[in-house]
Amino acid sequence: MTKKLVLSFLLAAAFISRVWAGDEPPTVESNKNLIDLVQSHADYVWTLVAAALVFFMQAGFALVESGFTRAKNAVNIMMKNLMDFSLGTLAFWAIGFGIMFGASSTGWFGTSGFFLSDFKVGGDPWVLAFWMFQVVFCATAATIVSGAMAERTKFAGYLIYSAVLSAIIYPIFGSWAWGSLFNGEGWLEGLGFIDFAGSTVVHSVGGWAALAGAIVLGPRMGKYAKDGRVKPILGHNMPLAALGVFILWLGWFGFNPGSTTAANKNIAMIFVNTNLAAAAGAVLAMATSWIKFGRPEVGMSLNGALAGLVAITAGCASVTPLSAVIIGAAGGVLVVLSVLFFDKIKVDDPVGAISVHGVCGAWGTLAAGIFNIGGTSATIIGVQLLGMAACFLWVFPVAFLMFKLIDKTVGLRVSAEEELEGLDVTEHGGNAYPDFEVYSYGSMGSGGGSAAAAPVGSPGQVDLEPAEQT
Amino acid sequence: MTKKLVLSFLLAAAFISRVWAGDEPPTVESNKNLIDLVQSHADYVWTLVAAALVFFMQAGFALVESGFTRAKNAVNIMMKNLMDFSLGTLAFWAIGFGIMFGASSTGWFGTSGFFLSDFKVGGDPWVLAFWMFQVVFCATAATIVSGAMAERTKFAGYLIYSAVLSAIIYPIFGSWAWGSLFNGEGWLEGLGFIDFAGSTVVHSVGGWAALAGAIVLGPRMGKYAKDGRVKPILGHNMPLAALGVFILWLGWFGFNPGSTTAANKNIAMIFVNTNLAAAAGAVLAMATSWIKFGRPEVGMSLNGALAGLVAITAGCASVTPLSAVIIGAAGGVLVVLSVLFFDKIKVDDPVGAISVHGVCGAWGTLAAGIFNIGGTSATIIGVQLLGMAACFLWVFPVAFLMFKLIDKTVGLRVSAEEELEGLDVTEHGGNAYPDFEVYSYGSMGSGGGSAAAAPVGSPGQVDLEPAEQT
Amino acid sequence: MTKKLVLSFLLAAAFISRVWAGDEPPTVESNKNLIDLVQSHADYVWTLVAAALVFFMQAGFALVESGFTRAKNAVNIMMKNLMDFSLGTLAFWAIGFGIMFGASSTGWFGTSGFFLSDFKVGGDPWVLAFWMFQVVFCATAATIVSGAMAERTKFAGYLIYSAVLSAIIYPIFGSWAWGSLFNGEGWLEGLGFIDFAGSTVVHSVGGWAALAGAIVLGPRMGKYAKDGRVKPILGHNMPLAALGVFILWLGWFGFNPGSTTAANKNIAMIFVNTNLAAAAGAVLAMATSWIKFGRPEVGMSLNGALAGLVAITAGCASVTPLSAVIIGAAGGVLVVLSVLFFDKIKVDDPVGAISVHGVCGAWGTLAAGIFNIGGTSATIIGVQLLGMAACFLWVFPVAFLMFKLIDKTVGLRVSAEEELEGLDVTEHGGNAYPDFEVYSYGSMGSGGGSAAAAPVGSPGQVDLEPAEQT
């Protein structure tokens, strides 16, 4: 101990004398500090590039949701995805981040760091990099709900629940499972809950909120006939939906490996597991649809890829590639069965969000326990089940209550006339495709019915006659 | 001093080669050189990944521009965006880069480095990484103009002005504000002008050139009625436009933080500021449109996000996150008012490019002075105003003259018949959507009217009858 | 001076606390090891980010292929691109990677590492990062074939050949040219064959397999009239096709510079060469189409960019930027002539894949020898020609045989009725755009004709009547 003390003072003295001398030649110590600095630069670059990829998932969700629904609601879906990210960014900046990662005396939620107040000019900017990575996760949870509630939700009501989800519902559960990154330890992670990138924290939270929303809203008009038959409501643009899935798959290469928030070798296995699970999910969902419906079905195959991705999210850093194939494949089968199940119980989810994110998120969380690379145990499985249950028991009732409150106040569902007409015209004053002959467009016709003035390049400004030459 | 420099360079080179080859034990000095090398590798990776993201903005611009205009001009807009990047790449390689960053004795423009001649085989390749990052910026300035001049510009004229902008107009202003990176110091940066990533250098340059172009061209047929009313010309594809904005937002995560051209911790605050400003811009533009038009308007909301992004570009590295929210929010309000203003004075800008890039670029440049993290002053504000004025006074008259010259020679505007028919058929020989019933298509019908032969997978080869089975 | 004093004491204090805390003090040797580790982290990040970009090319191919073909086959093309990546991932994981990079005693193919068995838990994960980069290359080769065989191939037959290509045909040639990365040395690389990122290994392999497939399939109905005329079959969505090309161009910034699989300075020149060649290809193809057809043609211009990219792929790391311009420009001219040539000999390639990837891949491979930065020679040219010939002689006959076998067993081509109706309805049970009036849709009408049940958000569930309100 004395030797160590002497050594450190000698080294420090040597260091001081060199700095003081002015020419500052490199030393072993200054080199070590520089190495740490370069590594931290790599950490910043990787975490922020990954955040950018996850941000892009917002485009993917927008395309999947609009591709799987009707043309008459495409503007509305674009607006919802733009706004859940934009409002969500502001809500998470002001409130959510502080709740999720602020200092917590209880282990149930944080109470500091609102408005990024943990960051001081000239201080360590890591909190900013970390915030950037977290805000794109928060937005993912919010946008999942959007899909399940598509084609019948009032826009004003949507804005409210999107803000509440981003500011409160998502961050509170998040603090239980991930809060320790800044604030000590949430109670779930204290128990050893495994959810590396958020099968539960992000996807099940979104999925169970979506379930609550779909139940409170009720099904779209005409979806479930009185005689018990399920009537198909066709998605209007499969290439957009497929592009959306490719974008989501790409974004997941930020979502999962980026959750290291560090540039290290672990990202390789996470990349491979993510890719294998997605591939297996797509192939198995295709096969299941082929068996069930007699055709390799595009909507199911696309959702199968997403199911595989959601399922591997919890365990991506702690299962082998072979396990990833199995987890993804099971997700691919499960999502088809789940979609049919929710249609059977008449919960109308236009894009399958509850099945993809809620159900496969739960499966992935369980699977992370079962296939744990270091071995599994009843305790591990028990904690995983506890986390899954905690998520459902927190999110579903609170979201249900929130949707009911919105319904009783500003209103959650549009009128039957508005639903028939399409939300694009009634909520936003113009259609998505005014140049095209579109079957789902209502009586007001292309771009019709708005009393708005004439802003640039946008639909809906048609109290005036259209320009003659078009 | 020179001797010392040469000596250290030689020693560094020797150390690096020996240590990487493994035949010398490491020393403190060799380690220091290696650390610098690894940091430089991170700089290359970050700068070039950022360049790739900025490149992708070209797709974003193409989608926003075509989504906000009519189906009959969609091929033309794709061609313009493909070509302003392709021609611009060649023009910036041959001429522009040398003017912007070449050695300058005057401080007004550079005169070396044409055709990347500063790069020697075996020499330091940093100039190549730097060129790559700069060429994608140059293309951004060029494509901004494309939007404002959409639906009525002759393609040959477009090619000429796109090349001139990339080779001369953009680089000359750029050398004033950014030239010092290689060539000493431009006169504006010598005064302390703050424009970190180009609110003025890129966006206002594009915006004021766009203003000149829109004025010289005149409005589209039917846009402004004789009785003073503004007639809406509806954009044909809102999902594409929204995807374009998401792509642009993603690209801005290269545009702003990539402007460090170094992997360091500063990129974190730049990411956060960029994202907050975009979000605030989108929300405030939506709110403004809701108040003004009675509806949350999709075109305005999308442009609001872009307005926030443009506005934060100058100050992204030197304002706090709270300031970024304010700057973006103001941009979101401003862009709506600006779009209405330009319609009032009958400057027809189909996508709002002048407002988004010119006006909000100017606002962002001023805001970078006002909200400067190190404090502001009359001098700082004065220099910012001077830079903004210099940009307008250089770009607008020169671009105006250029457009007039093109108009008098090869011609800038298509004929009335061609405008009615759509540029896709008349300029490129085929429509964008030949399989669809499209209202804006002219009398020649789907894919009609071309005398071209039959190239692959493309429209317009219709001197022959279409194949029977379609 | 005071600042320096404070700084040195702070640094000293930090140092003391570290030693005191029980960390081992750094040494020159431990620093060297850490530097190597940080560099390896940068290598992982760069290689995997590049892999993500190359993955995204799958979306680009899907959009180009569907944009250049008819609306009635858009679902089928999305399914093919989703499945060649998904099935290909599983096939390359199980078999292909072991053949391409496994230990080889013969130099003709590897025989170890199947199912990623080279990776042991706790072992070096580099094999995973490397696999991730390679699997996205393999998928690129597979999807090239998809384009040339579009609009008439049976889906089940497609799945089979896609798996065989990924598992066997591609990896065997790959082992000849690139196998040494893990397994010693393939015979072609032993001779000095230059193909840095795969003009031959990826693109020509795909292109010559595409040629075999297009010949075995025969042309689409109505493409070549009995009187010898070529009848145009128009692509249905030019904005999607253009977006696809932008995505591919972006992806190539992973494809070419990522092939370093290391974060180093070499990536700068590769970026620049890639970009210059693409730009020159686009401009020259546009010019060629303008001269040949009297119009700047969008399909040709887009393919010109791809031709430039394919052509520079072999030599991107070993030619100067000026050479890259020449190589890309020649590719742009060549692709137009090649497309016309294949139409002349009645090989129906709906998207020009054979010309872009086969022919320009061959040109690029030759060009890498001609423009080699270190000088060229008859030997170099000879080896390049040998590699090109080896590729054709391996891929074309084997693929031809495979397609013939599939044709005789499960069937390769759909019936005439199915081709007329469109593969979307007949193979997948629903159309891509059920909300739109689409000319190419067959007699079954929008979304019609399927006997499938009603899965989420997808077309084709129409044994039931559509919901009333649509």
Side-chain angles (χ1 to χ4, degrees):
Chain A
M1 183 139 145
T2 310
K3 189 181 154 197
K4 192 189 260 180
L5 191 66
V6 169
L7 177 68
S8 48
F9 273 110
L10 282 176
L11 285 167
F15 188 85
I16 290 165
S17 70
R18 278 188 211 121
V19 173
W20 193 243
D23 55 350
E24 302 177 37
T27 66
V28 170
E29 294 73 29
S30 71
N31 275 349
K32 176 64 171 62
N33 291 332
L34 273 183
I35 295 167
D36 292 346
L37 188 69
V38 175
Q39 172 67 47
S40 83
H41 292 169
D43 294 341
Y44 274 77
V45 167
W46 167 239
T47 301
L48 290 165
V49 167
L53 289 176
V54 180
F55 162 78
F56 198 37
M57 291 172 69
Q58 207 69 15
F61 280 112
L63 297 182
V64 169
E65 290 172 24
S66 90
F68 279 172
T69 54
R70 286 164 295 184
K72 66 181 176 183
N73 297 312
V75 163
N76 179 253
I77 286 174
M78 292 298 140
M79 281 298 278
K80 283 160 66 178
N81 277 276
L82 180 69
M83 283 304 144
D84 60 38
F85 190 80
S86 297
L87 262 187
T89 285
L90 299 180
F92 196 71
W93 166 66
I95 303 171
F97 186 74
I99 289 179
M100 189 155 167
F101 296 108
S104 170
S105 51
T106 60
W108 291 83
F109 55 91
T111 55
S112 71
F114 303 110
F115 295 96
L116 272 173
S117 58
D118 282 348
F119 170 68
K120 303 294 173 211
V121 173
D124 183 355
W126 178 250
V127 67
L128 297 177
F130 186 70
W131 180 86
M132 188 68 221
F133 192 73
Q134 294 301 329
V135 74
V136 291
F137 271 59
C138 175
T140 299
T143 202
I144 289 166
V145 188
S146 156
M149 298 176 67
E151 306 207 279
R152 60 214 194 273
T153 305
K154 226 172 154 165
F155 187 65
Y158 179 82
L159 293 182
I160 294 170
Y161 88 64
S162 179
V164 172
L165 197 85
S166 301
I168 297 171
I169 299 177
Y170 168 80
I172 285 187
F173 186 80
S175 81
W176 302 351
W178 289 352
S180 74
L181 285 156
F182 269 62
N183 73 3
E185 200 165 67
W187 69 266
L188 253 178
E189 61 193 325
L191 298 173
F193 182 59
I194 305 167
D195 189 10
F196 186 72
S199 283
T200 290
V201 175
V202 180
H203 294 281
S204 285
V205 165
W208 303 143
L211 177 60
I215 291 173
V216 174
L217 268 179
R220 288 169 292 175
M221 292 170 67
K223 174 73 182 176
Y224 302 112
K226 286 188 187 101
D227 61 8
R229 291 186 307 167
V230 176
K231 297 217 172 189
I233 297 178
L234 307 181
H236 88 284
N237 197 325
M238 288 306 121
L240 278 199
L243 175 59
V245 167
F246 282 119
I247 290 174
L248 287 169
W249 194 324
L250 171 69
W252 240 286
F253 290 135
F255 203 95
N256 284 359
S259 290
T260 55
T261 62
N264 60 39
K265 297 186 178 185
N266 296 335
I267 62 175
M269 193 174 78
I270 305 176
F271 258 92
V272 169
N273 285 349
T274 301
N275 196 56
L276 283 170
V283 171
L284 266 287
M286 179 191 73
T288 308
S289 77
W290 213 329
I291 292 165
K292 285 237 151 218
F293 316 127
R295 306 267 187 202
E297 216 276 320
V298 66
M300 286 302 180
S301 304
L302 292 170
N303 269 339
L306 300 183
L309 288 163
V310 169
I312 198 60
T313 295
C316 58
S318 59
V319 304
T320 65
L322 178 60
S323 300
V325 171
I326 297 167
I327 292 170
V333 176
L334 192 58
V335 75
V336 179
L337 303 179
S338 175
V339 162
L340 294 175
F341 168 76
F342 281 109
D343 256 351
K344 204 163 193 177
I345 64 168
K346 298 195 191 318
V347 172
D348 182 20
D349 175 359
V351 308
I354 303 166
S355 300
V356 168
H357 301 278
V359 173
C360 291
W363 156 241
T365 306
L366 182 61
I370 298 172
F371 294 95
N372 185 36
I373 210 166
T376 188
S377 71
T379 312
I380 290 177
I381 303 291
V383 171
Q384 296 302 99
L385 290 170
L386 179 65
M388 293 153 63
C391 177
F392 188 87
L393 292 174
W394 161 247
V395 173
F396 183 80
V398 172
F400 194 90
L401 193 69
M402 172 186 71
F403 287 122
K404 279 286 185 194
L405 276 172
I406 293 172
D407 196 29
K408 298 295 174 203
T409 52
V410 297
L412 190 64
R413 182 158 182 157
V414 298
S415 71
E417 291 72 31
E418 291 170 318
E419 190 173 339
L420 283 172
E421 187 64 35
L423 306 188
D424 290 3
V425 165
T426 61
E427 291 274 28
H428 307 288
N431 280 317
Y433 305 103
D435 268 8
F436 292 87
E437 170 76 39
V438 176
Y439 297 138
S440 72
Y441 281 176
S443 55
M444 294 184 196
S446 167
S450 161
V456 64
S458 67
Q461 323 85 336
V462 285
D463 58 334
L464 311 165
E465 302 153 38
E468 292 98 50
Q469 92 292 4
T470 55
Chain B
M1 175 124 158
T2 310
K3 190 180 153 195
K4 195 173 181 181
L5 197 66
V6 169
L7 181 67
S8 48
F9 177 76
L10 285 175
L11 282 169
F15 269 121
I16 290 164
S17 63
R18 274 193 223 120
V19 171
W20 280 125
D23 31 72
E24 279 292 314
T27 66
V28 171
E29 290 71 28
S30 71
N31 276 347
K32 176 64 170 60
N33 291 331
L34 272 182
I35 295 166
D36 292 347
L37 188 68
V38 175
Q39 172 67 47
S40 84
H41 292 168
D43 295 341
Y44 274 77
V45 167
W46 167 239
T47 301
L48 291 164
V49 167
L53 288 176
V54 180
F55 162 78
F56 198 36
M57 292 172 70
Q58 207 70 15
F61 281 111
L63 296 182
V64 169
E65 290 172 23
S66 90
F68 278 173
T69 54
R70 286 165 293 183
K72 67 181 175 182
N73 297 312
V75 163
N76 178 253
I77 285 174
M78 293 298 140
M79 281 298 277
K80 283 161 65 179
N81 277 277
L82 180 70
M83 281 305 144
D84 59 39
F85 190 80
S86 298
L87 262 187
T89 285
L90 299 180
F92 196 72
W93 166 66
I95 303 170
F97 186 74
I99 289 180
M100 188 154 168
F101 297 106
S104 169
S105 51
T106 61
W108 290 84
F109 56 89
T111 54
S112 70
F114 303 109
F115 295 95
L116 271 173
S117 58
D118 282 348
F119 171 68
K120 303 293 173 212
V121 173
D124 184 355
W126 178 250
V127 67
L128 297 177
F130 187 71
W131 179 87
M132 188 68 221
F133 193 72
Q134 295 301 329
V135 73
V136 290
F137 270 60
C138 175
T140 298
T143 201
I144 289 166
V145 188
S146 154
M149 298 176 66
E151 307 208 278
R152 60 214 193 273
T153 306
K154 226 173 155 164
F155 187 65
Y158 179 83
L159 293 182
I160 294 170
Y161 87 65
S162 180
V164 172
L165 197 84
S166 301
I168 297 171
I169 298 178
Y170 169 80
I172 285 187
F173 186 81
S175 83
W176 302 351
W178 288 353
S180 75
L181 286 155
F182 269 62
N183 73 2
E185 201 166 66
W187 68 267
L188 252 178
E189 61 192 327
L191 299 173
F193 182 59
I194 306 166
D195 188 10
F196 186 71
S199 282
T200 289
V201 175
V202 179
H203 294 282
S204 285
V205 164
W208 304 143
L211 177 61
I215 290 173
V216 174
L217 268 178
R220 289 167 293 174
M221 292 171 68
K223 174 73 182 175
Y224 303 112
K226 285 187 188 104
D227 61 8
R229 291 185 309 166
V230 176
K231 297 216 171 189
I233 296 178
L234 308 181
H236 87 285
N237 198 324
M238 289 306 121
L240 278 198
L243 175 59
V245 168
F246 282 118
I247 290 174
L248 287 169
W249 193 325
L250 171 70
W252 242 287
F253 290 136
F255 203 95
N256 283 359
S259 290
T260 55
T261 60
N264 60 39
K265 296 184 179 186
N266 297 333
I267 62 175
M269 193 175 78
I270 306 176
F271 258 91
V272 169
N273 285 348
T274 301
N275 196 55
L276 284 171
V283 171
L284 266 286
M286 178 190 73
T288 308
S289 77
W290 212 329
I291 292 166
K292 284 237 152 219
F293 315 128
R295 307 266 187 200
E297 216 276 321
V298 67
M300 286 301 179
S301 305
L302 292 170
N303 268 339
L306 300 183
L309 289 162
V310 169
I312 198 60
T313 295
C316 58
S318 59
V319 304
T320 65
L322 178 61
S323 299
V325 171
I326 297 167
I327 292 170
V333 176
L334 193 58
V335 74
V336 179
L337 303 180
S338 175
V339 162
L340 294 175
F341 168 77
F342 282 109
D343 256 350
K344 205 161 191 178
I345 64 168
K346 298 197 192 316
V347 172
D348 182 20
D349 175 0
V351 308
I354 302 166
S355 300
V356 168
H357 301 278
V359 173
C360 291
W363 155 242
T365 305
L366 181 62
I370 298 173
F371 295 94
N372 186 34
I373 210 166
T376 188
S377 72
T379 312
I380 290 176
I381 302 292
V383 170
Q384 296 301 101
L385 289 169
L386 179 66
M388 290 153 64
C391 177
F392 188 86
L393 291 173
W394 162 247
V395 173
F396 183 80
V398 171
F400 194 89
L401 194 69
M402 172 186 71
F403 287 123
K404 280 286 184 194
L405 277 172
I406 294 172
D407 196 30
K408 299 295 174 205
T409 51
V410 296
L412 190 64
R413 182 158 182 156
V414 298
S415 71
E417 291 70 33
E418 290 169 319
E419 190 174 338
L420 284 172
E421 187 64 37
L423 306 188
D424 290 2
V425 165
T426 61
E427 291 274 29
H428 307 286
N431 280 316
Y433 305 103
D435 267 9
F436 293 87
E437 169 75 39
V438 176
Y439 298 138
S440 71
Y441 281 175
S443 57
M444 295 184 196
S446 166
S450 162
V456 62
S458 68
Q461 322 86 334
V462 285
D463 57 335
L464 310 166
E465 302 154 37
E468 292 98 49
Q469 90 294 3
T470 55
Chain C
M1 192 145 125
T2 311
K3 194 175 148 198
K4 192 184 269 180
L5 189 66
V6 170
L7 175 71
S8 44
F9 272 109
L10 282 176
L11 286 167
F15 185 81
I16 291 166
S17 71
R18 199 174 69 231
V19 174
W20 196 244
D23 291 349
E24 286 292 316
T27 65
V28 170
E29 290 71 28
S30 71
N31 276 348
K32 176 65 171 62
N33 291 333
L34 273 183
I35 295 167
D36 292 347
L37 188 67
V38 176
Q39 172 68 46
S40 84
H41 292 168
D43 295 342
Y44 274 77
V45 167
W46 166 239
T47 301
L48 290 165
V49 167
L53 289 175
V54 180
F55 162 78
F56 198 37
M57 292 173 69
Q58 208 69 15
F61 280 112
L63 297 182
V64 169
E65 290 173 24
S66 89
F68 279 171
T69 54
R70 285 164 294 183
K72 67 181 176 183
N73 296 312
V75 163
N76 178 252
I77 285 174
M78 293 297 140
M79 281 297 278
K80 282 160 66 179
N81 277 276
L82 180 69
M83 281 305 144
D84 60 38
F85 190 80
S86 297
L87 262 187
T89 285
L90 299 180
F92 196 72
W93 166 66
I95 303 170
F97 186 74
I99 289 179
M100 189 155 168
F101 296 108
S104 171
S105 51
T106 60
W108 290 83
F109 55 90
T111 54
S112 70
F114 303 109
F115 295 95
L116 272 173
S117 58
D118 282 347
F119 171 68
K120 302 295 174 211
V121 173
D124 183 356
W126 177 250
V127 66
L128 297 177
F130 186 71
W131 179 86
M132 188 68 221
F133 193 73
Q134 294 301 329
V135 74
V136 291
F137 271 60
C138 175
T140 298
T143 201
I144 289 166
V145 187
S146 154
M149 297 175 67
E151 306 207 280
R152 59 215 194 272
T153 306
K154 225 173 156 166
F155 187 65
Y158 179 83
L159 293 181
I160 294 170
Y161 87 64
S162 179
V164 172
L165 197 83
S166 302
I168 297 170
I169 298 177
Y170 169 80
I172 286 186
F173 186 80
S175 83
W176 302 351
W178 289 352
S180 74
L181 286 155
F182 269 62
N183 74 2
E185 201 166 66
W187 68 267
L188 251 177
E189 61 193 326
L191 298 173
F193 182 58
I194 305 167
D195 188 11
F196 186 73
S199 283
T200 290
V201 175
V202 180
H203 294 281
S204 285
V205 164
W208 303 143
L211 177 62
I215 291 173
V216 174
L217 269 178
R220 287 168 294 173
M221 292 171 67
K223 173 74 182 175
Y224 302 111
K226 285 185 188 108
D227 61 7
R229 292 186 308 167
V230 176
K231 299 218 171 188
I233 297 179
L234 307 180
H236 87 285
N237 197 324
M238 288 305 121
L240 277 199
L243 174 60
V245 168
F246 282 118
I247 290 174
L248 287 168
W249 193 324
L250 171 69
W252 242 285
F253 290 135
F255 203 94
N256 284 0
S259 290
T260 54
T261 61
N264 61 39
K265 297 185 178 186
N266 296 335
I267 62 175
M269 194 174 78
I270 305 176
F271 258 92
V272 169
N273 285 349
T274 301
N275 195 56
L276 283 171
V283 171
L284 267 287
M286 179 191 72
T288 309
S289 77
W290 213 328
I291 293 165
K292 284 237 151 219
F293 316 128
R295 307 266 187 202
E297 217 276 320
V298 67
M300 287 301 179
S301 304
L302 292 170
N303 268 340
L306 300 183
L309 288 162
V310 168
I312 198 59
T313 294
C316 58
S318 59
V319 303
T320 65
L322 178 62
S323 300
V325 171
I326 298 167
I327 291 170
V333 175
L334 192 59
V335 75
V336 179
L337 304 179
S338 175
V339 162
L340 294 174
F341 168 77
F342 281 109
D343 257 350
K344 205 163 193 175
I345 64 169
K346 298 195 192 318
V347 172
D348 182 20
D349 175 359
V351 308
I354 303 165
S355 300
V356 168
H357 301 279
V359 173
C360 291
W363 156 240
T365 306
L366 182 61
I370 297 172
F371 294 94
N372 186 34
I373 210 165
T376 189
S377 71
T379 312
I380 290 177
I381 303 291
V383 171
Q384 296 301 100
L385 289 170
L386 178 66
M388 292 153 64
C391 177
F392 188 87
L393 292 174
W394 162 247
V395 174
F396 183 80
V398 172
F400 193 90
L401 193 68
M402 172 186 71
F403 287 122
K404 280 285 185 196
L405 278 172
I406 293 172
D407 196 30
K408 299 294 175 206
T409 51
V410 297
L412 190 64
R413 182 158 183 157
V414 297
S415 72
E417 291 72 32
E418 291 170 317
E419 190 174 339
L420 283 172
E421 187 62 37
L423 306 189
D424 290 2
V425 165
T426 61
E427 291 275 27
H428 307 287
N431 280 317
Y433 305 103
D435 269 9
F436 292 86
E437 170 75 40
V438 176
Y439 298 137
S440 72
Y441 281 176
S443 56
M444 295 185 195
S446 166
S450 161
V456 63
S458 68
Q461 323 83 335
V462 285
D463 56 334
L464 311 165
E465 303 153 38
E468 292 98 50
Q469 91 292 4
T470 55

